[in-house]
Amino acid sequence: MTKPSAPKRFLPTSPFKAPVAPPPKQFAVGDQVTHDVHGLGRVVGIEVGVAAVVDFGSTQERILSPYAKMSKL
């Protein structure tokens, strides 16, 4: 097996620009979302900067930020 490559750190003396981090995902109450594990759902609550509460039909799950496995539809 091979290890995934780690992101390279930026050196201040580099002639190249520093990498720009993508903005954090933002969700609002009522947004329809899809999650890699739980499937389709709807956001029913937001804890600003911490988590989103999502209703997936049979269960409600608290998905923690940065929402790596969740995307807005």
Side-chain angles (χ1 to χ4, degrees), residues 8-19:
K8 302 205 185 315
R9 68 184 173 106
F10 176 74
L11 299 173
T13 58
S14 174
F16 302 103
K17 293 181 181 178

Side-chain angles (χ1 to χ4, degrees), residues 15-55:
F16 302 103
K17 293 181 181 178
V20 178
K25 293 181 183 177
Q26 298 291 324
F27 296 101
V29 174
D31 284 349
Q32 241 185 345
V33 296
T34 182
H35 191 274
D36 290 351
V37 175
H38 303 290
L40 294 172
R42 185 170 303 274
V43 177
V44 294
I46 295 289
E47 297 172 28
V48 179
V50 178
V53 180
V54 183
D55 181 15

